Amino acid sequence: MYIQYTMDQLCLPMDLEEDIPENHLVRIVNAAVNRLDDAIFDAAYPGGGRDSYHPKMLTKVILYAYTQRIYSSRQIAKAVRENIMFMWISGRQRPDFRTLNRFRSERMKDVLEKVFTTVLQFLAEEKYIRLEHYFVDGTKIEANANRYTFVWGKAVVKHKAKLQEKVKTLFATIEEAEKQEERIHSGRDLPELGEASALTGEKLEQAVKELEERLQEKPKDKPLKKAVRTLRKDLLPRLQKYEAHEEILDTRNSYSKTDPDATFMRMKEDHMRNGQLKPGYNVQIGTENQFILGYSVHQRPTDTRCLIPHLEKIKEQLGKRPQTVIADAGYGGEENYDYLEQNEIRAVVKYGTYHREKTKAWQGDISKIDNWTYNSEEDTWTCANGQTLHFRRVSKEKTESGYEIEHRHYRSTSCEACPLKPQCTKAEGNREIKVSLKYLRFKEQTRQKLRSKEGYALAVKRMIEPEPVFGAIKNNRGFKRFLLRGLGKVSLEVGWLSLAHNLLKKAAVDANSKGAKRE
């Protein structure tokens, strides 16, 4: 016998909630968004026009979609029409893909961080997080941009310099022609361009206008006519294009023409293993118990320069900086250590050579000043052969962010007869070293923290904090490429991902705790 089957009547229950399990993820999303104050969304709806879909409903739909690996607005709109969970959480309303995408990428740009912070407060109140330890790490995610429409900063500088010299030469040729015809004083002088390197598009535009005025007075001057045509049709537009490139690049070394905010970076997902650069963004997160406490998106491929902007953004989001920051060696620079000390943040942050210093090869290398002796009272260094290096001078170096690093230079009196010189240095003459004493102090403090019981435990725990979160986002939920373009919209995508991850993590913790109680 078969169970009776007919399509002549409505089989779905009128109340879809009957088909949703009690502990289903969609209920967790629904409960979390319901706890939000409606006033949070006021900034997204200034008023006027026809009635809008309720922002809480749209927030629930998008959040639940992100937990289900659905990121396309068209696919979300399809799920709202066909999937029971989406039908229930949307109250059987059917926003189209344009409405969903506009809400996700435009309306929520000034609201999403408030929503994220409010959900964090809920998690803290329910003891899922304590906001004590902040584990920082970064990952690169490919931008929604063409991989081959690149602009390289060094190429722009080189081509611009060649063009400036070409313009300078062209004007010199015009001036020489007028001298030969003895007309240099018959009219106005040629426009003054100054040094080739100081030539800008604005100056050249003005100079071309002056030449065009002169050409109207002498319409039969063919060399001048040819020069003006070359400047107007070729050289001036190219110079303006290079200046536009430089403005977009700012301090970056590259960008993509299809997403000018994206920078070309080396990705771990390099299937050809040829070191191909792809346009992408550097996503920084801070975690505790694998919940995301803060996020930020950067255009720099290296993590070192991202820590300070990231922590400043966290201060804006949470109203305070973390008490303890734990990070890997990619963040261990003098500027970062100094920032953490100035803001009274306990830092458990390795530096680049921390693990290599423990090897026998490093400890037996007499060229490393870590194996030398420093006399702070006399301000001298003593090498492996007992030679004393005396202080010579101070040099200062500024980073791109404006931070100033002070280096002290020391030189030995005589290394000529030293039997260890081939192992110590390949340079001719006496050995000279450049040292930042502040950085050495930070490194020693870091060693002591990492050798302590608590510091070692935090360093070990860091291995199971941010990395599994990135693994869950990129591999488990398949988010390896952004859908939107531009730094602002990409930041919103990361915000949605972070919210969805935290709710998924909450559901997993709840399921584990209930399973443990049953046992």
Side-chain angles (χ1 to χ4, degrees):
M1 293 293 292
Y2 294 104
I3 297 173
Q4 184 178 0
Y5 169 71
T6 176
M7 297 182 66
D8 295 333
Q9 61 181 351
L10 181 65
C11 295
L12 273 175
M14 296 303 292
D15 186 3
L16 297 177
E17 192 169 0
E18 293 180 11
D19 283 347
I20 300 175
E22 181 182 352
N23 299 319
H24 197 278
L25 176 62
V26 74
R27 293 186 181 274
I28 293 175
V29 173
N30 181 61
V33 177
N34 280 342
R35 292 180 66 175
L36 298 174
D37 188 349
D38 288 353
I40 292 177
F41 298 96
D42 289 346
Y45 293 88
R50 60 181 292 183
D51 292 342
S52 305
Y53 287 108
H54 200 287
K56 280 189 175 180
M57 182 273 289
L58 295 173
T59 301
K60 292 175 186 179
V61 167
I62 294 173
L63 274 180
Y64 184 65
Y66 271 62
T67 65
Q68 302 303 299
R69 298 183 56 162
I70 304 175
Y71 307 112
S72 164
S73 58
R74 292 179 185 271
Q75 291 298 318
I76 298 173
K78 184 173 182 286
V80 168
R81 296 192 301 271
E82 300 176 358
N83 188 296
I84 291 178
M85 306 305 173
F86 282 93
M87 290 180 185
W88 176 74
I89 205 169
S90 65
R92 292 199 175 183
Q93 297 183 62
R94 295 183 175 183
D96 64 9
F97 73 92
R98 294 184 185 86
T99 302
L100 290 165
N101 193 49
R102 191 182 306 116
F103 179 80
R104 172 178 62 175
S105 60
E106 295 178 15
R107 284 195 180 276
M108 291 294 283
K109 64 181 178 182
D110 298 322
V111 179
L112 189 61
E113 289 185 3
K114 294 179 183 178
V115 174
F116 179 81
T117 305
T118 306
V119 172
L120 272 187
Q121 291 172 350
F122 298 158
L123 293 173
E125 290 170 4
E126 296 174 7
K127 309 301 181 185
Y128 290 94
I129 55 176
R130 293 182 295 176
L131 302 175
E132 290 181 356
H133 298 141
Y134 194 81
F135 298 87
V136 186
D137 205 354
T139 190
K140 301 181 186 75
I141 299 180
E142 188 177 351
N144 180 14
N146 191 312
R147 298 174 185 175
Y148 307 105
T149 58
F150 41 73
V151 175
W152 302 107
K154 289 183 179 179
V156 170
V157 171
K158 182 179 73 173
H159 293 317
K160 182 183 175 184
K162 286 183 178 179
L163 180 64
Q164 289 169 329
E165 287 294 339
K166 192 172 182 178
V167 171
K168 193 75 175 176
T169 303
L170 181 60
F171 271 80
T173 303
I174 297 172
E175 188 173 358
E176 184 64 28
E178 291 206 353
K179 282 183 179 179
Q180 290 177 359
E181 296 177 14
E182 296 182 352
R183 290 186 289 173
I184 190 66
H185 298 296
S186 61
R188 291 168 292 180
D189 294 335
L190 286 173
E192 192 66 37
L193 296 179
E195 293 293 329
S197 58
L199 178 62
T200 63
E202 187 178 352
K203 285 183 180 179
L204 185 57
E205 174 77 33
Q206 185 61 35
V208 172
K209 286 180 180 178
E210 293 182 23
L211 288 178
E212 287 173 340
E213 291 176 4
R214 173 173 293 194
L215 185 61
Q216 289 178 357
E217 298 173 0
K218 307 169 185 178
K220 295 183 179 180
D221 192 336
K222 291 185 178 180
L224 182 59
K225 187 175 183 180
K226 183 179 178 182
V228 169
R229 187 189 305 115
T230 302
L231 287 165
R232 176 60 71 182
K233 299 292 184 181
D234 180 27
L235 302 183
L236 178 59
R238 281 167 56 196
L239 181 58
Q240 291 171 337
K241 181 182 73 173
Y242 294 145
E243 288 178 342
H245 287 329
E246 287 180 328
E247 186 177 353
I248 295 172
L249 284 164
D250 195 16
T251 58
R252 292 184 290 160
N253 62 355
S254 61
Y255 77 87
S256 172
K257 291 179 182 177
T258 45
D259 183 359
D261 287 345
T263 305
F264 279 81
M265 310 175 182
R266 295 192 187 279
M267 305 284 180
K268 288 183 179 178
E269 295 81 12
D270 184 12
H271 307 295
M272 299 297 291
R273 296 182 180 178
N274 58 0
Q276 182 186 15
L277 296 172
K278 298 177 184 177
Y281 293 92
N282 190 342
V283 178
Q284 299 285 315
I285 65 168
T287 68
E288 184 184 60
N289 298 331
Q290 294 184 7
F291 285 93
I292 298 176
L293 305 185
Y295 63 89
S296 61
V297 181
H298 306 266
Q299 297 169 289
R300 296 191 172 279
T302 56
D303 291 336
T304 311
R305 291 287 308 282
C306 296
L307 180 64
I308 295 176
H310 175 75
L311 292 178
E312 286 298 311
K313 188 181 181 213
I314 299 310
K315 184 187 175 185
E316 292 178 9
Q317 288 178 342
L318 304 180
K320 61 178 181 179
R321 297 183 182 89
Q323 299 175 12
T324 305
V325 169
I326 306 97
D328 62 14
Y331 300 88
E334 180 181 329
E335 184 176 359
N336 290 340
Y337 285 134
D338 200 6
Y339 171 86
L340 294 169
E341 183 180 71
Q342 293 294 328
N343 290 281
E344 300 179 349
I345 300 172
R346 184 165 176 262
V348 183
V349 181
K350 296 177 184 177
Y351 50 89
T353 59
Y354 175 73
H355 290 292
R356 281 188 287 163
E357 288 176 359
K358 298 179 181 179
T359 62
K360 290 183 179 179
W362 182 282
Q363 294 171 0
D365 190 346
I366 64 172
S367 67
K368 307 295 184 185
I369 65 170
D370 299 87
N371 300 322
W372 294 6
T373 304
Y374 177 65
N375 187 326
S376 57
E377 294 181 359
E378 298 181 5
D379 193 17
T380 59
W381 287 85
T382 304
C383 71
N385 195 38
Q387 289 281 346
T388 302
L389 285 78
H390 296 276
F391 171 74
R392 302 283 294 181
R393 63 188 177 89
V394 173
S395 66
K396 294 184 178 180
E397 174 188 351
K398 276 194 175 182
T399 65
E400 290 182 16
S401 61
Y403 179 79
E404 190 172 79
I405 300 175
E406 181 179 285
H407 293 289
R408 297 179 69 81
H409 295 252
Y410 300 83
R411 185 187 294 174
S412 65
T413 53
S414 177
C415 292
E416 295 177 0
C418 179
L420 302 178
K421 184 178 179 181
Q423 304 171 40
C424 183
T425 180
K426 295 180 181 179
E428 296 181 1
N430 297 328
R431 178 71 190 273
E432 184 173 341
I433 60 173
K434 182 176 72 172
V435 181
S436 170
L437 296 180
K438 181 184 283 189
Y439 186 43
L440 291 180
R441 175 173 65 82
F442 288 139
K443 286 169 67 176
E444 181 58 31
Q445 291 175 353
T446 302
R447 287 191 199 100
Q448 297 303 321
K449 290 176 185 176
L450 291 169
R451 288 171 184 170
S452 67
K453 186 176 180 180
E454 184 186 2
Y456 178 76
L458 288 173
V460 171
K461 188 178 180 182
R462 188 205 64 79
M463 301 177 188
I464 59 169
E465 274 287 342
E467 289 294 347
V469 175
F470 288 136
I473 291 173
K474 298 176 78 173
N475 296 319
N476 297 352
R477 296 200 291 282
F479 194 92
K480 297 183 179 180
R481 193 169 190 257
F482 288 110
L483 278 77
L484 306 178
R485 294 179 177 177
L487 185 61
K489 292 184 178 181
V490 163
S491 298
L492 283 171
E493 276 195 276
V494 175
W496 287 111
L497 281 168
S498 302
L499 268 170
H501 172 83
N502 285 349
L503 294 178
L504 276 166
K505 185 65 181 176
K506 180 183 183 300
V509 171
D510 291 344
N512 290 337
S513 62
K514 288 180 181 178
K517 287 179 182 178
R518 289 172 187 169
E519 293 176 1

